[in-house]
Amino acid sequence: MNIIPMRDLKNTVNIEKLCAMTKAPVFVTKNGYGKLVVMDIECFERILDQAYEARELKKGMKDIEEGKVRNGNDVLNDLKTKYGL
């Protein structure tokens, strides 16, 4: 984890290099407390993708818990029947 004080935000070139080198967010503090997070676009998109995948997995787990599932072979047989395969 990378943590820098607010005053270091002036040096954007170094922060950009740090983000690229570590491929992780940089946490910015003010008076010892977290205030901001800085990251490059690649890191941001990766985090968004992970959040989307986690949300979809959670939906799937809920379907399993609620019994909203079907046997895979039954689904394939239904599709073969429906489309004459």
Side-chain angles (χ1 to χ4, degrees):
M1 180 184 325
N2 300 296
I3 302 172
I4 62 169
M6 186 77 71
R7 68 178 175 275
D8 287 0
L9 282 178
K10 294 175 188 174
N11 196 338
T12 57
V13 173
N14 281 351
I15 295 170
E16 182 181 0
K17 287 179 184 177
L18 182 60
C19 288
M21 183 180 69
T22 62
K23 299 188 184 315
V26 175
F27 297 86
V28 182
T29 61
K30 183 175 182 180
N31 298 324
Y33 296 97
K35 288 292 180 184
L36 302 170
V37 176
V38 178
M39 64 184 85
D40 64 10
I41 295 297
E42 184 179 305
C43 180
F44 178 71
E45 289 174 344
R46 187 176 64 250
I47 289 171
L48 281 181
D49 287 345
Q50 291 170 348
Y52 173 78
E53 289 170 4
R55 184 179 62 210
E56 294 303 308
L57 284 170
K58 187 176 179 179
K59 286 179 189 177
M61 296 303 294
K62 184 178 178 190
D63 284 346
I64 291 170
E65 289 171 6
E66 294 175 356
K68 296 179 182 177
V69 295
R70 289 185 60 202
N71 179 292
N73 288 328
D74 293 343
V75 173
L76 288 175
N77 289 333
D78 289 350
L79 289 171
K80 287 177 183 176
T81 301
K82 181 175 181 177
Y83 295 104
L85 301 174

